[in-house]
Amino acid sequence: MAKTGTTTQGLRAAIERSGYYPTLVAEAVQAAVGGEPVVSYLVHQETTFDANEVRRHVTVLVLTGTRFIVSHTDEQAADATSPSPYATTSTESVKLGRISSVVLSRVVANPESYTPGQLPREVVLTIGWGAVARLDLEPASCGDPNCEADHGYTGSSTADDLSLRVSEAGDGPDSVRETLAFAQALSEATAATTSSR
C-alpha cells in the first residue's frame, strides 16, 4: 500500500491508514521532518515471507523544501536478544543537493500498444545519495584464451541507497500512481537544487 500527498496532516493520516505501528512510525517521521513544510510524501507498507515467518515493514519517504527524508520500520520476532517481539525504526535526512540520482524503472505490458499516460504494471524507484554503493567485481582478462597472467579485477560501482518496488498486482494501481507522483516531485526538486548551485 502506498499513499502520497503534500501536507503534514495528510502524511500523518497516510501513516495511520497503513496500520503499521502508526504511533511509532509517525513520531519518528515527525521528529525527522521537524517544522519544515511537507512538499510530497510516499508511505509504502510491504509484507515479505522469510522461511516460515511473515514479516511486515513500512517505508516512508518525505520531501521537504530542503531535504529528502527516508524512514524505515521493521518488526522482529522474539529472539535470543529480546524475549518479546520488537520493532526497529530508522530515519535518515539527506540534503537535496546530495541526491545524485533518481531512477524510475517502469515495466509496461504489451509495449507495442502503449498509449501516453498508460499505467505501468510495476515501477521501481531507486534513489542514490552516496551513503551505500554496491561494488560488482570480476577477474579481468586480456582476451587471449591461452593467457595465464593476472590482469587484476574489473568492475562497476552502483549507488544503491534506496530501492522501492511497487506493482499493480501486489499493491494496486493507486500505489503505482502515487509512486510515480512522488518520483516526479523528487526529480523536479533535485533538478531545481542542481540548477541553483
Side-chain angles (χ1 to χ4, degrees), residues 31-43:
V33 171
E36 278 194 86
V38 172
V39 174
S40 185
Y41 62 83
L42 179 67
V43 177

Side-chain angles (χ1 to χ4, degrees), residues 62-87:
V62 180
L63 175 62
T64 72
T66 62
R67 298 178 297 145
F68 166 68
I69 298 162
V70 58
S71 176
H72 189 79
T73 303
D74 280 305
E75 63 183 355
Q76 308 290 329
D79 58 23
T81 64
S82 176
S84 59
Y86 61 99

Side-chain angles (χ1 to χ4, degrees), residues 100-152:
S100 56
S101 66
V102 178
V103 180
L104 184 67
S105 300
R106 301 167 189 243
V107 178
V108 177
N110 304 314
E112 69 281 355
S113 60
Y114 177 80
T115 57
Q118 180 179 330
L119 196 63
R121 72 175 188 205
E122 177 181 310
V123 293
V124 179
L125 175 60
T126 305
I127 304 164
W129 57 91
V132 178
R134 183 178 65 242
L135 189 60
D136 295 319
L137 294 175
E138 61 184 42
S141 64
C142 66
D144 179 357
N146 297 321
C147 181
E148 294 182 16
D150 183 356
H151 294 286

Side-chain angles (χ1 to χ4, degrees), residues 4 8-9 12 34 51 70-71 79 94 100 103 114 117 120 132 153 164 186 194 196:
T4 190
T8 303
Q9 295 82 9
R12 176 67 189 228
V70 58
S71 176
D79 58 23
V94 181
S100 56
V103 180
Y114 177 80
V132 178
Y153 289 88
L164 189 72
L186 183 59
T194 302
S196 66

